[in-house]
Amino acid sequence: MAPYNNNDSKVLAHQSTSVLTSDASSDGGNPTIISHVHFDHMSHTNSFNDCDNDNFGVDQQLFFVTSYSDFDKLAHGPRGHTAKHTLRVYRFLTDGSLVLLHVNGEGQKVINPAFSRFHPRLNVVYTCTEDIEENGKILAYKILSDGSLTEIGCVDAGGTSTCYLTIDRDQRHLIAVNYWDSSLVVIPLSKETGEFAGPIQNVYDPRHGQAMIAAAKKHGGVNHSQNDESTIAQRQVDPHSHALVLDPFEGCVAYVPDLGK
């Protein structure tokens, strides 16, 4: 969620880093948003030099919404139906209404963008694709005041079912979490532009190279959204990292919850 301030300095104030993930959407109108919003309670302000639309009022906000496009490639079982386009930008008006500004992300190319992270200082948003069969992708977009998106980079996530992104305190590294194979990767960032400064720099594999034991849903595996005894038993066969939080003091210790073994 990014509030825009329509003033002479063209300032974009990131009052919070937020994530909206839609389970499904329709392309005949506004998407059905079944979303979770996570706030890191960080306040940042930066110069916004690419403002090409001066019709934004004070304190209006942009919502970056992502939708799943292929349920078979997910470890869990979302509600709703799949989306033909997986990226949308809305303007949130002061009366509480949402206005669709921009649609992007063909569903077969940007598959299941599961998590998004705004850069804490720049007008850049990162999103990652969730696929249990092929390595995820991490995409970077420059977001303009009219809601349009310009892709400025795409890197391999180094693991399957990419589900979480974190930017370090120095804003020089993006850390990605891959749920299905539980790997963690570090990708360098340009501090000046927010673009990727190279491929994966470091990988942590808690399985130490061992193959996954559990099968995907379409191959007889369980739906990880369930919590019955059978699901829990299969889910515990492999490790499943699903988030990463850096310590608030030095920013160099990572805390990673594991849903699996």
Side-chain angles (χ1 to χ4, degrees):
M1 181 170 60
Y4 281 89
N5 299 318
N6 186 21
N7 54 35
D8 294 337
S9 61
K10 303 287 195 301
V11 170
L12 166 60
H14 292 276
Q15 291 184 344
S16 335
T17 297
S18 61
V19 180
L20 289 86
T21 302
S22 164
D23 280 344
S25 71
S26 63
D27 286 283
N30 291 342
T32 303
I33 303 173
I34 307 170
S35 62
H36 303 281
V37 185
H38 306 277
F39 297 99
D40 288 347
H41 301 289
M42 298 167 61
S43 179
H44 304 276
T45 303
N46 70 290
S47 297
F48 189 66
N49 298 317
D50 297 302
C51 217
D52 57 355
N53 186 337
D54 290 326
N55 294 322
F56 284 83
V58 177
D59 294 332
Q60 291 182 353
Q61 301 172 333
L62 295 185
F63 283 77
F64 181 81
V65 181
T66 62
S67 304
Y68 289 128
S69 58
D70 191 337
F71 290 173
D72 286 339
K73 294 182 180 293
L74 298 171
H76 63 294
R79 296 172 293 173
H81 55 276
T82 56
K84 293 180 181 178
H85 294 87
T86 55
L87 306 176
R88 283 175 169 79
V89 180
Y90 291 83
R91 182 170 58 188
F92 181 68
L93 303 181
T94 54
D95 64 0
S97 61
L98 286 172
V99 177
L100 178 62
L101 298 179
H102 189 68
V103 178
N104 203 331
E106 185 179 339
Q108 296 306 310
K109 293 182 179 180
V110 185
I111 299 172
N112 298 333
F115 186 93
S116 302
R117 172 76 67 183
F118 277 108
H119 191 285
R121 181 176 49 85
L122 302 172
N123 305 319
V124 175
V125 62
Y126 305 90
T127 194
C128 55
T129 64
E130 189 170 351
D131 188 332
I132 62 177
E133 297 180 328
E134 298 181 10
N135 279 7
K137 296 179 181 178
I138 304 171
L139 300 103
Y141 294 93
K142 188 172 185 179
I143 184 167
L144 304 182
S145 64
D146 64 355
S148 60
L149 301 171
T150 300
E151 184 179 326
I152 60 173
C154 178
V155 296
D156 191 289
T160 47
S161 195
T162 312
C163 67
Y164 198 87
L165 305 173
T166 295
I167 298 174
D168 71 354
R169 179 179 296 181
D170 291 337
Q171 301 164 20
R172 295 187 182 277
H173 299 92
L174 182 145
I175 308 169
V177 178
N178 296 304
Y179 173 83
W180 188 247
D181 65 9
S182 204
S183 59
L184 312 175
V185 301
V186 179
I187 299 165
L189 294 178
S190 165
K191 190 166 185 176
E192 289 73 29
T193 66
E195 296 176 88
F196 301 116
I200 293 171
Q201 195 173 64
N202 194 279
V203 178
Y204 173 73
D205 177 11
R207 297 176 297 104
H208 305 292
Q210 295 182 1
M212 296 288 294
I213 299 174
K217 295 197 304 286
K218 67 179 181 180
H219 298 306
V222 297
N223 176 354
H224 282 215
S225 295
Q226 305 300 322
N227 283 303
D228 56 273
E229 291 185 6
S230 175
T231 299
I232 293 172
Q234 286 198 45
R235 203 168 58 201
Q236 291 294 307
V237 171
D238 302 294
H240 293 295
S241 304
H242 57 99
L244 186 149
V245 178
L246 296 173
D247 79 271
F249 303 105
E250 300 296 333
C252 59
V253 176
Y255 298 91
V256 181
D258 180 3
L259 188 62
K261 185 176 180 180

